[in-house]
């Protein structure tokens, strides 16, 4: 579990073929200020919002494996040597929840529609599939490339964000341009509520007002 508060930036040093169609990534993390050397074997680390396990560690570097499902559902398949990624280690029970609950399980890859600078912020519009968009609401939370952000608006194709200067400077968002891809993870609570409302099959409706009344609510 993560919070969407980026600890530092990493850089993909190399990408090679893994077993079963996956890829093996070597990540150097000496570019960020928050990671230090505190990466241990087996750690869960969010890479642009994608949870991967450190399978080998060294000074300022670690190895992570990405399976075929990860490559198909996220931007990891687009990464190559030199790609910068946002890094966040998994939270502990003593960690402040500065963002929101993020699993590192990407729901879809979005596309940047527009990037506009205004006064002390940058406005981004990101287009996403309709099934993901219905779980994103204005003033709600969403993780974009592993960054916890607040949704400022929504239309029929996507949602907007307002990025403050600090976030712009310390994450990979400043590298995004029109057409860039981004990993999107909707709010965990929205995902579960939507799941409860879905029909379970013929004659088995999901959670409805009638069902709630029957249960005494």
């Amino acid at each position: 579990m993560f919070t969407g508060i980026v600890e530092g930036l990493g850089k993909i040093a190399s990408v090679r073929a893994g077993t079963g169609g996956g890829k093996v990534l070597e990540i150097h993390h000496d570019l960020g200020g928050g990671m230090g050397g505190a990466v241990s074997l087996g750690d869960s680390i969010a890479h642009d919002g994608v949870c991967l396990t450190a399978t080998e560690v060294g000074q300022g570097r670690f190895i992570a494996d990405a399976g075929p499902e990860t490559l198909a559902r996220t931007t990891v398949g687009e990464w190559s040597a030199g790609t910068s990624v946002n890094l966040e280690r998994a939270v502990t029970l003593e960690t402040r929840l500065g963002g929101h609950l993020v699993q590192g399980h990407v729901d879809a890859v979005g596309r940047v529609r527009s990037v506009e600078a205004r006064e002390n912020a940058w406005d981004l519009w990101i287009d996403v599939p309709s099934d993901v968009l219905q779980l994103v609401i204005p003033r709600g939370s969403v993780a974009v490339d592993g960054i916890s952000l607040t949704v400022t608006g929504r239309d029929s194709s996507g949602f907007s964000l307002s990025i403050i200067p600090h976030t712009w400077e310390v994450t990979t968002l400043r590298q995004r341009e029109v057409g860039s891809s981004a990993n999107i993870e909707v709010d965990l609570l929205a995902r579960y509520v939507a799941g409860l409302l879905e029909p379970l099959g013929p004659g088995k409706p999901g959670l409805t007002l009638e069902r709630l009344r029957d249960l005494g609510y």
Side-chain angles (χ1 to χ4, degrees):
M1 190 71 72
F2 308 92
T3 71
I5 303 299
V6 173
E7 292 188 271
L9 295 181
K11 180 169 285 188
I12 306 299
S14 66
V15 180
R16 66 178 188 270
T19 58
K23 290 186 177 181
V24 179
L25 311 170
E26 180 177 349
I27 298 99
H28 290 184
H29 58 87
D30 55 346
L31 298 179
M35 295 293 286
V39 176
S40 301
L41 186 66
D43 277 356
S44 293
I45 301 172
H47 308 67
D48 270 4
V50 182
C51 179
L52 300 174
T53 301
T55 58
E56 179 184 322
V57 298
Q59 183 62 40
R61 58 176 286 276
F62 60 88
I63 300 293
D65 295 323
E69 180 70 10
T70 299
L71 299 179
R73 297 183 63 90
T74 73
T75 62
V76 175
E78 303 175 13
W79 297 353
S80 60
T83 299
S84 295
V85 292
N86 300 310
L87 297 177
E88 181 191 356
R89 292 167 296 180
V91 300
T92 70
L93 293 178
E94 297 179 344
T95 304
R96 285 192 176 94
L97 186 58
H100 70 285
L101 294 177
V102 177
Q103 289 184 299
H105 301 163
V106 172
D107 292 293
V109 173
R111 296 288 173 183
V112 176
R113 183 198 311 174
S114 65
V115 181
E116 294 183 4
R118 66 173 175 92
E119 298 180 358
N120 66 334
W122 284 263
D123 292 336
L124 270 68
W125 274 93
I126 300 178
D127 292 333
V128 294
S130 58
D131 60 329
V132 172
L133 183 59
Q134 67 181 356
L135 300 178
V136 178
I137 61 171
R139 294 175 298 283
S141 296
V142 65
V144 177
D145 281 339
I147 308 163
S148 175
L149 298 168
T150 300
V151 179
T152 56
R154 184 178 70 171
D155 62 14
S156 61
S157 300
F159 59 88
S160 60
L161 306 160
S162 182
I163 313 301
I164 64 173
H166 175 75
T167 302
W168 189 259
E169 290 299 323
V170 302
T171 71
T172 61
L173 283 179
R174 66 181 184 274
Q175 302 172 10
R176 298 295 175 258
E177 55 189 18
V178 174
S180 293
S181 57
N183 294 314
I184 308 298
E185 181 183 334
V186 300
D187 184 77
L188 179 64
L189 297 179
R191 186 189 294 159
Y192 275 102
V193 169
L196 290 171
L197 296 175
E198 287 182 359
L200 302 177
K204 296 181 179 180
L207 190 63
T208 63
L209 289 175
E210 291 74 17
R211 179 59 174 159
L212 286 172
R213 293 191 189 100
D214 291 342
L215 293 173
Y217 291 101

